[in-house]
Every structure is written in C-alpha cells, then in structure tokens.
Amino acid sequence: MQDHNASTTLRVQRSEPSAKAVSDAVAEATDALIRRQQADGHWVFELEADATIPSEYLLLHHILDEIDPELEAGLAAFIRGRQGKDGGWPLFFGGAMDISCSVKAYFALKAAGDSPDAPHMRRAREAILARGGAARCNVFTRILLAQFGQIPWRAVPAMPVEVMNLPPWSPFHISRISYWSRTVVVPLLVVMAHRLRARNPRGIGIAELFTEPPERVRNWHSNNSRGGWATLFRALDAALHAVEPRLPANGRQTAIDRAVRFVTERLNGEDGLGAIFPAMVNAVLMFHCLGVPPDHPDAATARRALRGLVIQQPGRIYCQPCLSPVWDTAIICNALLETGSPLARAAARRGADWLIDRQILDVEGDWAWQRPGLASGGWAFQYNNAHYPDTDDTAMVVMALQRLDAERYEEPIRRARDWIVGMQSRNGGWGAFDAENQHDFLNHIPFADHGALLDPPTSDVTARCVTMLARLGEGRDTVPTRRGLTFLEREQESDGAWFGRWGTNYVYGTWSALEALNAAGVPHSAVAVQRAAQWLLAHQRADGGWGEDGASYWVGNPRGEGPVSTASQTAWALLGLMAAGKGNHPAVDRGVEYLLSARDAEGLWSEEPFTAVGFPRVFYLKYHGYAASFPLWALARYRALRG
C-alpha cells in the first residue's frame, strides 16, 4: 500500500506553482466553460452510471415488443465496452463485478443477439456462476427476471399494492420512505399486482445463469441476517405471500387507483416521474399493465421522458439515469464567480437568471407531508421536478446568487433560505429531499435489500446548508447554523474525516464539512478542523493528487484511497485544505501542480473514475461536469489566497 503519511510531503523540496501558470489555467478553463454554456444561460453535462441503466432500457423494449434495432445495437455496444477484466460488470469504473448488474448486462446482450458461446458471454457466465448465479441477485433484478418468466414470482418479496391503503400513522407508508423510493415503488406496486409478463418476442431466457433450477430454490432472501428486524420481516414476508392472493378485490382496486393517481399527479411532463430513470420505466410499465394505449397522452408522455435520457451520438449510445442541469449550472456559477473575471461574472449572471426561473414557488411537494404549512422555495436537480426540490441544490444555487448580487436576488434567496431552515431535521442535520426520514427499521424489510429506502440527514448535505446560512450572515450564534454545526461535530469520524453520502466519499464529505466550518467562523485551530486537515494531508497520492473509489463504502476497505488520482477529488481536497487554513502548505502546491499537469486540450479536465454516488454499495455516478468545474474552483481560490 502506498505511504500516505503527511510527513513525506513535508520532506519534498517545495516547488511553488508559478502565478502565471495558475492564471493561464484559470483563464483557459473559464473560457472553455463559457463556450459550453447553453444559449439560454444554463449548463448541462452528461451523467453516466454503470451498465445497469442501459441494460434495463434495452430489456424494456423486449418487454413491450418495441425493439429499435439501431438503438439496441448502440446500447449493446456500450454494455460490452463496460465489461470488467473479471468477466462481470462493475458498479463503478475499475470496481469488482456486481452480480445483479452482471446478470442484467448478460441478459441484455443475449436479447440483443450476442451468442452465449461468444468469448465475452462465456467469461460473463463463468463469473456469474462462480458467485452463486442469478439466484443471488437483488430484489429489483429478480422482479425483472420474474417479468421474463425466468424465476417464479415467489422469489420476489411480497409488496402488495394494498400498502397504498395504509394510513399515514402505519409502520409502512409511502411518506416514510425517500422520494426516490416512493416514485420507484408506487408504479411498481401496480406492475407487481398484475404479475406483468414480458412479451419477449425473441423468446430469450438465461437458464444457464442459475446453479440450480429456479423453481427448486427455496431461500431467495438477500438478507439472511439473524438480527431481530430481519427475522421479523422475513416471517412477515412469508405471511404476506400466503395471504396476498386472498385479499379483497375491492381493496386491491382502490389501492391501484390510488397508485395511479399518485403517478399521474407527479408525471412531470416530459421530464418524467421523479425525473429519474427507474421511476420513469415503472410508470411506462404501469400504463402498459393497465392497458393504456401507447398513444394516450399520459403513456406517450412517459415514453418520451425516457427517450429524453438517451445520449445518441455517432458511435456512442447509452441511457443516463437522469439529467443534472440545475446542479451543473449552480456549481459552474460558483466556480466562475471564484475567478473574479468580468466575463466569468457575466456568464454566471446568465446562469443565475436561468436558475431563477426554475425556483419552485407554487407546488407543495411531498416534503410537505413532514413540513405542512412551510412555503416552498427550493430548486430541483433536473430541468423540472416540482414535487421534489432538494436542499443540496437549493443551497448551492443560493450561494451563487448571494455572491453574484444579493440585493438583486433578495426575494428568491429569502424564499429559499426559509425553506431550507424549515427542512432541518430534529437532530440538526438535513436530508436531501425530506425531513425526519429516519425510520431505520424499514431498511430491513426484504424488499429493501439495497439498504437505501430512506433519506436521513447526512454530513455533506448538512454542510452545504450550513455553508449557505453562514454566507447569508447567519453564523455560529444563530440557531439553525449552531444546530447544523453540532450535527457535523457528532458525525466526524474517529480518524478526522466525514462520510460523503452523495460524492465519493470521505474526500467529498471532509471537504464539504471543512467549507461549512470555515464559513461559520470555526477557528482553523479547532481540533475538528485540524484533524480533518491532517486526514486529507495523509491521503495525498505520490503524484500530488487525491483519488478515492467506490470500494471505500464497504466496511473494512481503505478510506480515501483508490487506484488513481482524479481532478474532481483533488479539487475537493484542495478546497478543504484551504478552508482549513492550509493554503500555504506544500501539499496544496503539489495538488495544484497535479491539476495544472492534468488539463486536456480544451483547458479543462476529464476523468474515467466515478466520483459520485446514487446509493452507496448499490449505484454510482459519473458527473462529466465535476472534472470540468471543480478544478477551476480550486485553482481560482488558490490564486486568490496567494495574491
């Protein structure tokens, strides 16, 4: 293992980057980002996930018998290109194979016409069988396999659509789970109630991926823990399987009607249900199960929303999990404003004006279930997603508006600030989309084997909200900021780092927290700040950069480490160290040198590794805009600190 001891850095002869080199890099990156700005003022970069999304999209067309040969060929090529050296498909670039992702990818390629005897298919099959076969897949993969008749429906945990009839005070209610869970699950309940059977025009099956015939498998549970909650829910699952066929028909229809009403009220035009791929797919399948014609306005809109996620370029076709224009635009506005350039400021103003038009002021979203009476005022992540604004995007937008022109944007800032404060949870932290979404026992139900059913407060989102409040003049002596800082104090880990829920991982979380502490006026000499800075220094790589991969989310794996340095994570570490008062440290100079040497021909940066997260250990993301924007932010701040 590489020696990350910070003292090693101190023995290296100091070579401070030239001011001209830094200024030139800032100017070139600024110009490049301005060239990338859309005509209406916003930015949007590609958002890439693993092979799961393209595989599911390809298989959706086999479920519906609506195969597009050109699209299918492009998706299949993308999937083949993501196969790992171990024969399977990973959740993030360079990671180990994931059994569920690998089964979907194999199934999709076989459906697209790849022969099971082809070398890449044989390697995949051997890797899958060596890890227990397709019976070891997660719940959502098993639902897909059940739709194709590859496994019996009893292999899927019971989740009767009748849960839609439960009162809000019941142990399980859709208000108790996260936004992404409810938008995915509600239409899926209808699909499962109908026991959807794929049309599968080519009659493709994957019996060869099972170590024993699926009908003989007795234990389909992904979580075989002997803990109290897991044991209780397994017993409840068995009971539900037994009684579900006997539930009254009128209650079932009432539940289906409620599910359909939930979906159609949140269909969100051509931005799609929840504006995320899994929910959008399930909305399409729900309408299909209900016999709604494809040209019906709702069904047609749902299908167009899905197609809008497809990146289709010469020689490159894949499907994104969602779109990130508000997030991309807010980050880039902050980065440009850090430069102080008049051209950058003008571009940021155009971006800010585009953002203003997307503030959600007239829709009471699902967040109001926990915060009734709170006036809306947030921003969503996507172009439109009015029922689901999030605190992270909102805080990032407000920081840009405040820095750009606090007087001009006074009213949008006030509305957003009040909404953010109202969304603070009782423990002082902030979740992304909901308040008080902390019903931990629900992550033990068999249906939630991904462990991401909830949206509890996290360090990175809390840090963003605290930073925003502090930038608005609400320091440590104000109640919301003080409560947020107390939450961060509790969440700091024993080695000095903070966990990163939405970015990979401890580098992201530690940067976010240090920004918050600095903005709130916590002294650089504070123990929490010093411990965090030492953690970042100890994880600098030999080339001067920082890099951490998705494996750090598994217990027992190294934290803050990965196979290569990345531009975005190096920028986070530099911003964190500068926020901790370490702007003159030799390690910061070396990190800047790494960024200067890693630029591409356009004057920006790119990276292959995934440095963001959908759900830890389950779903990872690569924001193509991260490498292009965060390094500019870091270099501009470095230049300002060095005068």
Coordinates of all heavy atoms in Angstrom, one line a residue, residues 42 55 63 74 123 197 264 338 341 352 364 379 444 451 461 475 553 564 573 614-615:
H42 N -27.8 28.2 -19.2 CA -27.6 27.1 -18.3 C -26.4 26.2 -18.9 O -26.0 26.3 -20.0 CB -28.8 26.3 -18.0 CG -29.2 25.2 -19.1 ND1 -29.7 25.6 -20.3 CD2 -29.1 23.9 -19.1 CE1 -30.0 24.5 -21.0 NE2 -29.5 23.4 -20.3
S55 N -28.8 -1.5 -19.8 CA -29.3 -2.9 -19.9 C -30.8 -2.9 -19.6 O -31.6 -3.6 -20.4 CB -28.6 -3.8 -18.8 OG -27.3 -3.9 -19.1
I63 N -39.7 -6.2 -23.3 CA -40.9 -6.4 -22.5 C -42.1 -5.9 -23.3 O -43.2 -6.5 -23.4 CB -40.8 -5.6 -21.2 CG1 -39.8 -6.2 -20.3 CG2 -42.2 -5.6 -20.5 CD1 -39.5 -5.5 -19.0
G74 N -26.6 0.2 -30.5 CA -25.8 1.1 -29.7 C -25.7 0.8 -28.3 O -24.6 0.9 -27.7
R123 N -17.2 -15.7 -20.6 CA -16.5 -15.1 -19.4 C -17.5 -14.6 -18.4 O -17.3 -14.8 -17.2 CB -15.5 -14.0 -19.9 CG -14.3 -14.5 -20.6 CD -13.5 -13.4 -21.1 NE -13.1 -12.4 -20.1 CZ -13.4 -11.1 -20.1 NH1 -14.0 -10.6 -21.1 NH2 -13.1 -10.3 -19.1
R197 N -46.0 -9.9 -17.5 CA -45.2 -10.9 -18.3 C -44.7 -10.2 -19.6 O -45.5 -9.7 -20.4 CB -46.1 -12.1 -18.7 CG -45.3 -13.3 -19.3 CD -44.2 -13.8 -18.4 NE -43.4 -14.9 -19.0 CZ -43.6 -16.2 -18.7 NH1 -44.6 -16.5 -17.9 NH2 -42.9 -17.1 -19.3
T264 N -49.9 9.9 -11.8 CA -50.3 10.9 -12.8 C -50.2 12.3 -12.3 O -49.9 13.2 -13.0 CB -51.8 10.6 -13.3 OG1 -52.6 10.5 -12.1 CG2 -51.8 9.3 -14.1
E338 N -15.7 32.5 -8.5 CA -14.5 32.4 -7.7 C -13.3 33.1 -8.5 O -12.4 33.6 -7.9 CB -14.1 31.0 -7.4 CG -13.1 30.8 -6.4 CD -13.6 30.9 -4.9 OE1 -14.7 30.6 -4.6 OE2 -12.8 31.4 -4.1
S341 N -13.3 37.2 -12.7 CA -13.3 37.7 -14.1 C -14.6 38.3 -14.5 O -15.6 37.8 -14.2 CB -12.9 36.6 -15.1 OG -13.3 36.9 -16.4
A352 N -27.5 32.4 -13.5 CA -28.3 32.7 -12.4 C -29.7 33.1 -12.8 O -30.7 32.6 -12.2 CB -27.7 33.8 -11.5
E364 N -46.6 22.4 -3.7 CA -46.4 21.8 -2.3 C -46.0 20.4 -2.6 O -46.9 19.5 -2.8 CB -47.6 22.0 -1.5 CG -47.4 21.6 0.0 CD -48.6 21.8 0.9 OE1 -49.5 21.0 0.8 OE2 -48.7 22.8 1.6
W379 N -35.1 24.4 -5.2 CA -34.8 24.1 -6.6 C -34.6 22.6 -6.7 O -34.2 21.9 -5.7 CB -33.4 24.7 -7.0 CG -33.5 26.1 -7.6 CD1 -33.7 26.5 -8.9 CD2 -33.5 27.3 -6.8 NE1 -33.7 27.8 -8.9 CE2 -33.6 28.4 -7.7 CE3 -33.3 27.6 -5.4 CZ2 -33.5 29.7 -7.3 CZ3 -33.3 28.9 -5.0 CH2 -33.4 29.9 -5.9
H444 N -34.7 -2.9 6.7 CA -34.5 -4.3 7.0 C -35.6 -5.1 6.3 O -35.6 -6.4 6.4 CB -34.5 -4.6 8.5 CG -33.4 -4.0 9.2 ND1 -32.1 -4.6 9.2 CD2 -33.3 -2.8 9.9 CE1 -31.3 -3.8 9.9 NE2 -32.0 -2.7 10.3
G451 N -30.8 -1.3 0.9 CA -30.5 -0.5 2.1 C -30.5 1.0 1.8 O -29.9 1.7 2.6
V461 N -24.8 17.0 2.9 CA -25.9 17.9 2.7 C -26.0 19.0 3.8 O -26.2 20.2 3.6 CB -27.2 17.1 2.5 CG1 -28.4 18.1 2.3 CG2 -27.1 16.2 1.3
G475 N -24.2 33.2 11.4 CA -23.1 32.4 11.9 C -23.4 31.5 13.1 O -24.5 31.1 13.3
Y553 N -16.9 2.5 0.4 CA -18.2 2.4 1.1 C -18.5 1.1 1.7 O -19.4 0.9 2.5 CB -19.3 2.7 0.1 CG -19.4 4.2 -0.3 CD1 -18.8 4.7 -1.5 CD2 -20.1 5.1 0.5 CE1 -18.9 6.0 -1.8 CE2 -20.1 6.4 0.2 CZ -19.6 6.9 -1.0 OH -19.6 8.2 -1.3
V564 N -6.2 5.6 -8.7 CA -5.6 6.8 -9.4 C -6.1 8.1 -8.8 O -7.1 8.1 -8.1 CB -6.0 6.8 -10.9 CG1 -5.5 5.6 -11.7 CG2 -7.5 6.8 -11.1
A573 N -10.2 18.1 -2.2 CA -9.2 18.1 -1.2 C -8.5 19.5 -1.0 O -8.3 20.0 0.1 CB -8.1 17.0 -1.4
G614 N -25.1 7.4 -6.2 CA -26.6 7.4 -6.1 C -27.0 6.8 -4.8 O -27.6 7.4 -3.9
F615 N -26.5 5.5 -4.6 CA -26.8 4.8 -3.3 C -25.5 4.0 -3.0 O -25.0 3.2 -3.8 CB -27.9 3.8 -3.5 CG -29.1 4.4 -4.1 CD1 -29.7 3.8 -5.2 CD2 -29.8 5.5 -3.5 CE1 -30.8 4.4 -5.8 CE2 -30.9 6.0 -4.1 CZ -31.4 5.5 -5.2

